[in-house]
Amino acid sequence: MFDTVIAPSGTLLGLLQRGRGDGTLHALTAPRAEALAALNHCVLNDPRHDWQVENRSLYYARLYLDLHGGIEEIERHLFDAEDVLDTEESRTGLALAVLGHLAAYGRGDALALLRRYAATGSNWAWALDELALRDGDSGLRALAEPVLARFPRTPEGETELAAAVRDAFEPRPWRLWADDPREAVATRVRSAKEQGSFDQWQRQMRPTGPRPGWSVRAVFDWAEEAVERGAGMHVPAARCLAAVAGPRNRPEIIETARNGLDGARSTALRYLADTEDPDVLDLIETAVSDGTSAVVDAAVDAFERMQGDNAVDRARSWVHRPDALGAAAGRVLACRGGAQDATLVLAALREAVRGEGADAPTLWTLVDGTGRLGICIAAPVLRHVYRETGSSHLRGRAARALAVTDPSFAAGFAVECLWDCEESTREVAARHAETGDARVVDQLRRLAADPAEEDEVQTAVRSRIGPDA
């Protein structure tokens, strides 16, 4: 699938794609047809940076309810011919998750559509997981035969069925089917469950894949072989090195960290950083200067893992470097620096936004550090990141930083955060939003009464509107 183009943050579509609370508030005041068109576009063209960790489904489902929206567009998307050609979960996962939330809210049409797709659609396993949480026993039992029919009664088909049972995210349907009164259904599912358990036991007892020998040189050779296969293994290799290396091996490891081949050099740098070797910082600086891109990445990552005061002191001298090591130094100061490093962290934050934009990966750590250090002067930059980033997780981090750096947060962004797509952001808003705004009180009450809301959010809400508030 192609990456979704994110619309400008000032548009209704851009707000909904980002999952911002202002998206819901604007949609509710926009012409209904326009709002539904933008909502359908988001659900059918997943806008998330990382669809496996960012939340949107509950956010979009709630908006469907508020707009009294139909699910005809979702139905067309699920049963389009492309469903056979593109079986990636990312194409239909968001739509199925939205249907799951709608079904939980009592939308019978969403429940029926999930049942139909579980019986005939390509991403049937996701639909079945949604139904496992929302459907009754009779509805799930009716799906047993169409689901089992997907697996031919051949050795290959039975193996695929066993894998499907073993890997199911929600086991409830399979447990029901194992006790099904239809003997043909129950016998086949029970057999698949037994085979899946046996396969898992075999994998645990007989791990596959190459393993290093028990010497420093063998570990370095193993790391090099992995590079030749196109699989970087310097991190597990460093753990193996910790098990076999002793004081007498230090000269060999130091020399490898200075002049070794990519896999061995990366392994040596990681090991020396993990053990806080006194020479490792100089070796990391050398590696960044003369190493390949793989070695540079390994060296920078090893430096960022270091916890000692020496690493923080060196970060203060490296933070002005215009390379990857300078960027890593800014992140180290953001995580472990003191109040005296506030100016350096702010400069790194500004440079990252100016050079890479509001979605720069380095911003996650820098934004957290800005909040940790309470750098109030950074509030304008944090507001820019909040508005412009396409990552709902980064926006949530910006909101948490603004809560401690921006005096206007409670009456500003905290209000819209009550409608945000991320529960952690709604929790921040529930603790800080100014209750003088009537919308805030109404939304707090709604979140408190919504069974789909996360416990952490409801706890925060009760701290504001409960009898002890």
Side-chain angles (χ1 to χ4, degrees), residues 20 37-38 43 107 153:
R20 278 183 56 181
V43 174
R107 287 280 296 262
R153 290 182 175 276

Short mmCIF file of all heavy atoms in Angstrom, two decimals, residues 20 37-38 43 107 153:
data_model
loop_
_atom_site.label_atom_id
_atom_site.label_comp_id
_atom_site.label_asym_id
_atom_site.label_seq_id
_atom_site.Cartn_x
_atom_site.Cartn_y
_atom_site.Cartn_z
N ARG A 20 -6.69 14.46 16.13
CA ARG A 20 -6.75 15.54 17.11
C ARG A 20 -8.17 15.75 17.63
O ARG A 20 -9.16 15.56 16.90
CB ARG A 20 -6.23 16.85 16.50
CG ARG A 20 -4.73 16.97 16.50
CD ARG A 20 -4.28 18.30 15.94
NE ARG A 20 -4.87 19.45 16.64
CZ ARG A 20 -4.64 20.70 16.31
NH1 ARG A 20 -3.85 20.99 15.28
NH2 ARG A 20 -5.20 21.68 17.00
N ALA A 37 -17.65 12.67 4.74
CA ALA A 37 -16.71 12.37 3.65
C ALA A 37 -15.28 12.32 4.17
O ALA A 37 -14.50 11.42 3.83
CB ALA A 37 -16.85 13.40 2.54
N ALA A 38 -14.93 13.29 5.02
CA ALA A 38 -13.59 13.30 5.60
C ALA A 38 -13.37 12.10 6.52
O ALA A 38 -12.31 11.47 6.51
CB ALA A 38 -13.36 14.61 6.36
N VAL A 43 -10.95 6.47 7.53
CA VAL A 43 -11.16 5.06 7.90
C VAL A 43 -10.74 4.13 6.76
O VAL A 43 -10.20 3.04 7.00
CB VAL A 43 -12.62 4.82 8.31
CG1 VAL A 43 -12.89 3.34 8.55
CG2 VAL A 43 -12.96 5.63 9.56
N ARG A 107 -24.50 -0.91 17.62
CA ARG A 107 -24.86 -0.79 16.21
C ARG A 107 -24.98 -2.18 15.59
O ARG A 107 -23.98 -2.85 15.30
CB ARG A 107 -23.81 0.04 15.47
CG ARG A 107 -23.82 1.52 15.77
CD ARG A 107 -24.90 2.24 14.99
NE ARG A 107 -24.69 2.17 13.56
CZ ARG A 107 -24.11 3.15 12.84
NH1 ARG A 107 -23.71 4.28 13.43
NH2 ARG A 107 -23.96 3.03 11.54
N ARG A 153 -9.22 -30.09 3.77
CA ARG A 153 -8.90 -31.28 4.58
C ARG A 153 -7.75 -32.04 3.93
O ARG A 153 -7.89 -33.18 3.47
CB ARG A 153 -10.14 -32.17 4.71
CG ARG A 153 -11.23 -31.56 5.59
CD ARG A 153 -12.41 -32.49 5.73
NE ARG A 153 -13.42 -31.99 6.63
CZ ARG A 153 -13.41 -32.14 7.96
NH1 ARG A 153 -12.42 -32.82 8.52
NH2 ARG A 153 -14.37 -31.64 8.71
#
